Structures are given as structure tokens and as C-alpha cells.
Amino acid sequence: MAGHSQFKNIMHRKGKQDAVRSKMFSKLAREITVAAKTGLPDVNMNARLRLAVQNAKAQSMPKDNIERAIKKASAADGENYEEIRYEGYGPGGVAVIVEALTDNRNRTASSVRSTFSKAGGALGETGSVSFSFDKVGEITYKASVGDADKVMEAAIEAGAEDVTSDEDGHTIICGFEDINEVSKTLEGVLGEAESVKAIWRPQNTVPVDEEKAQSLMKLIDTLEDDDDVQNVYSNFEMSDEVMAKLSA
């Protein structure tokens, strides 16, 4: 395993579920509001909104919260969120991509820049690290939907590019432009996915030792804790031994 998924596992094992859940709901709501604003406030007519609502439901976000987030998009006094991507390097020369939805560009830029600096990293120009990542679709299913062969067969039929399966579940990768089509086809065979989203997948990974890994985790943790930050992606790779120490 490499990249951000490792950090997610560590974070949850440290017992931060409640705080993470509250923060996650607010970020899911923001994505729903932006999706509803950029198209029609109807999941059947707005592909981005359909995915946002699907992901919110997968995280057990209450129906009232979802409906409130959709209504917020048409409110006259609603916030106008701007989508911004920041790119930079963290400890050990690890590439980091930060996606934000903000109603105050200056506030978010200042916060992200400060977080990189404090961690011994540096914020770069847009495009400075994203060239070493691929924008792809990621569809995840729980292990209970079936064995690896069943999911692999369904994924191939749906036009996916790659599948990885383990005891935690199944991760299916497809072309960014094929997310909706592939996810709909898979839903007909495997049921509703646990999550469907666009991600930045690193083309190559950078190994980090224990010292660098600690600093990197702190950087990602602080970035994710920022209300304006939606997603953080990185190309780090750490050994099972280091991962076990950090999650102890």
C-alpha cells in the first residue's frame, strides 16, 4: 500500500472517529452544495451531485443533512465556494496535492502555505507535482460484496482499468471520464459502492523512513483538519514496520 490510504487507516486506528466523522460530514455537505450549485439540484440530472450524495450516504450521513446541503445551493445568501488545488513537497521530497473548497481564497492559501512551511515542506506552483500523478476514478466496495474473482469480472465488464482486493475490501480504478458509466454498470452487478470519487494516483512512490514519516503524517493530519481542505493526496511509501510504529 502506498499514499494516502495508509494514513487513513492509521488515523482511524488512533481512535479519532468522532472528530473525523463530524469534520467529514461538513466536508461532504460542502461538496454536495457545490455540486448542486454547478448543475441542477437533482441527483438524476446532475452526475456530480449523484456521486456526492452517494458518498455521503455511504458514510451514514443523515438524510436531513443531505437535503439541507442541497437546499443551501439555491439560497440567496449562500456561500460561494471556489475550487482550488495546491501542490507542494513535504518532508523527504514527497509530493503532496491538496484540493480545497473555499469562500476565502486568501485565508486558505495562507493556511496551507503555513502548514507546509511548519512541516519543513514548501508550496509550489499549480502543476509542480501533479504531472507525476494521474487523475482517475476510484470506486470502492466492502469485502462482503463478493470474492476477488467476482469483482474482477464485474470490473472488466464495466470497463475498469485496475482492481485490487484484500481483506478490507475492493478498490476499482477507471478512467476519470468513465467514472459515472463504470460506477453505474458496477452498481447493477455489485450493488451500491462504498465510495465513488476522482482521485490523484501517483505514478511512482517515494520511500520514507520513520523520522520523515512522522513529519509527513503531521503535515497531512494538519491539512486534513483544515475546514477548507477536501482531499489530500501524496506519493509516499512506508514499510509495514514503520507503519506499525506510527499506529501503535
Side-chain angles (χ1 to χ4, degrees), residues 13-210:
R13 280 201 296 271
K14 284 184 175 176
K16 297 172 77 173
Q17 286 95 333
D18 290 344
V20 168
R21 197 168 197 75
S22 173
K23 185 83 66 177
M24 180 175 60
F25 280 174
S26 71
K27 294 186 180 194
L28 287 166
R30 189 174 289 198
E31 169 59 24
I32 289 170
T33 300
V34 171
K37 208 163 208 170
T38 54
L40 292 169
D42 181 348
V43 293
N44 297 313
M45 304 291 287
N46 183 332
R48 179 174 175 179
L49 179 59
R50 186 178 77 85
L51 294 182
V53 169
Q54 184 177 337
N55 287 329
K57 285 179 177 177
Q59 298 298 332
S60 302
M61 187 170 170
K63 186 179 177 182
D64 288 350
N65 293 36
I66 293 172
E67 290 176 353
R68 194 159 52 242
I70 294 174
K71 285 177 183 174
K72 201 173 180 182
S74 56
D77 57 347
E79 300 99 332
N80 284 310
Y81 294 115
E82 186 178 1
E83 296 181 77
I84 306 174
R85 186 174 80 241
Y86 300 97
E87 302 180 26
Y89 288 96
V94 169
V96 181
I97 294 177
V98 182
E99 291 181 334
L101 285 176
T102 179
D103 57 355
N104 186 324
R105 176 189 278 262
N106 291 336
R107 178 192 67 219
T108 309
S110 175
S111 175
V112 171
R113 185 175 290 106
S114 172
T115 300
F116 269 89
S117 297
K118 286 176 182 174
L123 202 57
E125 297 293 321
T126 300
S128 60
V129 305
S130 57
F131 69 89
S132 60
F133 289 73
D134 295 317
K135 190 74 178 283
V136 298
E138 180 191 74
I139 304 162
T140 63
Y141 277 93
K142 291 180 180 176
S144 57
V145 300
D147 60 22
D149 288 340
K150 177 186 175 181
V151 175
M152 175 70 80
E153 187 178 336
I156 291 171
E157 286 293 320
E161 296 175 359
D162 190 24
V163 183
T164 55
S165 298
D166 57 30
E167 66 274 12
D168 294 324
H170 310 277
T171 300
I172 300 158
I173 299 296
C174 66
F176 172 64
E177 65 283 350
D178 301 326
I179 295 175
N180 281 294
E181 190 178 332
V182 173
S183 64
K184 277 184 180 178
T185 304
L186 285 170
E187 191 172 325
V189 181
L190 303 174
E192 196 166 290
E194 191 171 16
S195 72
V196 182
K197 57 191 174 184
I199 65 163
W200 290 94
R201 185 170 69 160
Q203 295 164 1
N204 298 290
T205 54
V206 176
V208 291
D209 58 24
E210 186 177 349

